[in-house]
Every structure is written in C-alpha cells, then in structure tokens.
Amino acid sequence: MLGRMYDGEVCSAARTLEIVGERWSLLIVRNAMFAGMTRFTEFQRSLGIAPNILTKRLAEFVEAGIFEQRSGTGSGHPEYLLTAKGLDLKPVILALTDWGDRWAAPDGPPVTYRHTGCGGRVDVRLECSDCDASPDLAAVTAELAPWAYEMKYGTPASLQ
C-alpha cells in the first residue's frame, strides 16, 4: 500500500507498516474505532483528506481485511465497518497516543481512553508472558525465530 515492499526485511513491524503506515491510515482507523465513523463523507470531513486518497485508502483497507464495505442503510452510500482484524489495531492507536502524549503534546493529553465498564483510564503496558513482570524498556530485546534467521541470513554455519 505504501508502494514499497520490505522484501529484505523479515519483520512483522515492516509488514504492518506496508498496510497501515501511510500518513492517513491510522487516523482513518482511529476515527472508525473511537468516533464511530463509517461513511466516506465523515472521514473526509473530519480529516480534511483528499477524496482520491481516501478512496484509495479505504479500498486498500477493504482488500487487506481491515474494513468490510457494506451497503449503507437508507442513503445507499457504502459504509466501512472495522473487522476483527481492524479492531486488533486498537492497542497500536493507544500506544501511539501514549507516546504522543509524552513527547508531542505540549498542552497535555487531548484525549483520555477510558474503560466503559468502570470509567478507569486505559493504558498500554508491557508484560512478560512468563513472570507477569512489567519489564523496563531496556530489558526488552528481539530474538529472530530460526526460520526468520535462515530467511534473512541463510543457514547458520554451525548447522552446515
């Protein structure tokens, strides 16, 4: 979707950026998630995005399974509804917002995400799946899966 494939990258983050890394993409998803927007005109009006760009993004999202396009009720204009795959981007939006609140919001956080069940503030947290600890960011590392190592670098010399 960005017009650049990350063929040399064995990385889910790079593959995700190929789908949602364009400037408007996560803003469209955000507005669908948190403002309940489903119609082309709502996205266009709220974001000020050019119609040709919005048409392309929505078509790509439908193709990628992020949105499902349905016939609109009443007006006949199509509606774009987030799928389960699209809704799974919610933690991404929350994480980007947390970062922006800390580093790019000089007047303070403009939005607070709340749990509808109790009204509490929702935060994104790192948690270890083995010990349930919330590790310091410096203690989080990346480890290539054996198949990913082979794909990127070939068979390790120790296995030849």
Side-chain angles (χ1 to χ4, degrees):
M1 293 192 199
L2 290 176
R4 181 181 191 279
M5 296 301 290
Y6 297 97
D7 295 332
E9 291 290 325
V10 181
C11 175
S12 294
R15 291 176 183 161
T16 302
L17 285 173
E18 185 61 36
I19 298 168
V20 297
E22 186 274 332
R23 173 183 172 185
W24 296 104
S25 295
L26 289 175
L27 298 177
I28 294 166
V29 171
R30 177 206 62 192
N31 285 8
M33 277 180 191
F34 295 107
M37 293 182 187
T38 61
R39 297 184 183 264
F40 185 95
T41 54
E42 294 171 325
F43 293 118
Q44 187 180 22
R45 195 176 306 120
S46 69
L47 296 171
I49 184 173
N52 61 321
I53 294 172
L54 181 56
T55 298
K56 187 172 190 286
R57 292 298 162 266
L58 289 171
E60 290 169 343
F61 280 154
V62 169
E63 182 181 332
I66 304 290
F67 280 95
E68 178 182 322
Q69 185 178 350
R70 292 190 188 159
S71 297
T73 54
S75 69
H77 294 289
E79 291 183 327
Y80 297 90
L81 304 171
L82 285 166
T83 62
K85 185 177 181 178
L87 288 168
D88 273 353
L89 288 165
K90 196 171 269 194
V92 174
I93 301 288
L94 294 174
L96 284 171
T97 301
D98 281 353
W99 187 91
D101 288 348
R102 181 169 181 190
W103 299 104
D107 298 322
V111 172
T112 301
Y113 295 104
R114 301 259 176 218
H115 175 217
T116 57
C118 72
R121 185 169 178 257
V122 175
D123 294 312
V124 177
R125 296 181 188 179
L126 296 177
E127 187 176 281
C128 176
S129 65
D130 286 346
C131 70
D132 294 328
S134 294
D136 181 79
L137 293 177
V140 178
T141 61
E143 180 181 298
L144 276 175
W147 67 264
Y149 184 93
E150 288 179 27
M151 183 180 239
K152 183 148 180 90
Y153 302 110
T155 305
S158 62
L159 299 177
Q160 292 179 357

